[in-house]
Amino acid sequence: PTLGIWLAGLRKRDDQLRPWLANSRQRPKTYWLPGFFNPAGFLTAVQQEVTRARADDRWALDSVALDVQVSEFDRIEQVKAPPAEGVYIYGLSLDGAHWDSKHATLKESEPKALFCAMPLLFVTAISSKAPKQSGGAMKGQPTNSASSLFYDCPVYRYKLRTDRYYIFSVPLATIQQPARHWTLRGVAMLCFTT
């Protein structure tokens, strides 16, 4: 990236981390996922936090998976308070498709639009021993892909799609096309589009 892009990212990181540091007792309402040096580590911390909160239910970190859902919030200003359990993340762009917020589904890209900003995602953890509702899992963990109604969309840090930059997967509803269609299109979410 260019120096200007790097500086803009640095300012955004500062905007996210400085208030969090000043009010360490209060959790932020939302988190800018691209702003973390290690986003997968942040998501693991979310799993740990939920597991600790569910200690009475005897949840073990080894038997917990991420549960990710596209929220109804398009902008961070719409979030009034942090969720009781889990986090809201933002800053991801969809490459190869368009997210239809009205119908909560994937659809073909808009003409001449390379990327589509995604709504905020709600991320929490669920016990793998409990029945899964929506899917979403860290790399190497099973997801709820029994039907083609959900496309297991990979999230990468950069446009270069390798295991090195893979973070996690998000189940996205697909009504118009089967999940295989989006796989062949190479649809993915990206933290950085440059």
Side-chain angles (χ1 to χ4, degrees):
T2 65
L3 183 59
I5 293 171
W6 180 84
L7 189 58
L10 180 64
R11 284 186 183 142
K12 251 186 132 166
R13 283 183 181 91
D14 183 63
D15 291 344
Q16 172 171 269
L17 297 175
R18 191 172 300 273
W20 193 7
L21 182 61
N23 300 322
S24 60
R25 300 248 186 247
Q26 185 178 4
R27 282 185 19 200
K29 296 185 285 188
T30 60
Y31 297 87
W32 181 52
L33 189 67
F36 290 105
F37 177 74
N38 182 3
F42 171 73
L43 296 173
T44 300
V46 170
Q47 284 180 296
Q48 289 173 337
E49 184 180 308
V50 173
T51 302
R52 282 189 200 110
R54 297 292 187 101
D56 293 343
D57 297 335
R58 298 191 152 321
W59 282 21
L61 190 56
D62 294 346
S63 64
V64 170
L66 281 180
D67 183 41
V68 186
Q69 300 165 13
V70 179
S71 77
E72 67 275 10
F73 303 119
D74 290 324
R75 297 181 323 277
I76 60 173
E77 296 82 22
Q78 295 173 310
V79 180
K80 302 299 181 206
E85 186 175 278
V87 295
Y88 287 114
I89 60 172
Y90 68 97
L92 299 174
S93 298
L94 192 60
D95 182 15
H98 179 81
W99 181 254
D100 182 356
S101 292
K102 184 178 178 183
H103 298 103
T105 186
L106 279 174
K107 69 177 196 176
E108 297 295 336
S109 295
E110 299 291 328
K112 299 183 182 181
L114 294 178
F115 304 103
C116 166
M118 282 297 293
L120 278 72
L121 300 178
F122 173 67
V123 181
T124 189
I126 58 170
S127 174
S128 58
K129 295 176 182 173
K132 265 191 168 178
Q133 295 174 353
S134 65
M138 292 294 286
K139 184 177 176 185
Q141 294 177 340
T143 59
N144 185 14
S145 56
S147 70
S148 63
L149 298 177
F150 287 94
Y151 167 61
D152 204 23
C153 184
V155 179
Y156 294 97
R157 194 156 169 77
Y158 303 107
K159 284 197 285 187
L160 185 61
R161 299 174 191 187
T162 65
D163 284 349
R164 182 177 181 182
Y165 300 124
Y166 176 85
I167 303 171
F168 68 120
S169 293
V170 177
L172 298 177
T174 172
I175 297 172
Q176 294 178 347
Q177 302 288 343
R180 187 172 190 281
H181 172 80
W182 305 113
T183 302
L184 293 173
R185 288 276 171 116
V187 172
M189 279 192 235
L190 306 172
C191 287
F192 297 101
T193 59
T194 54

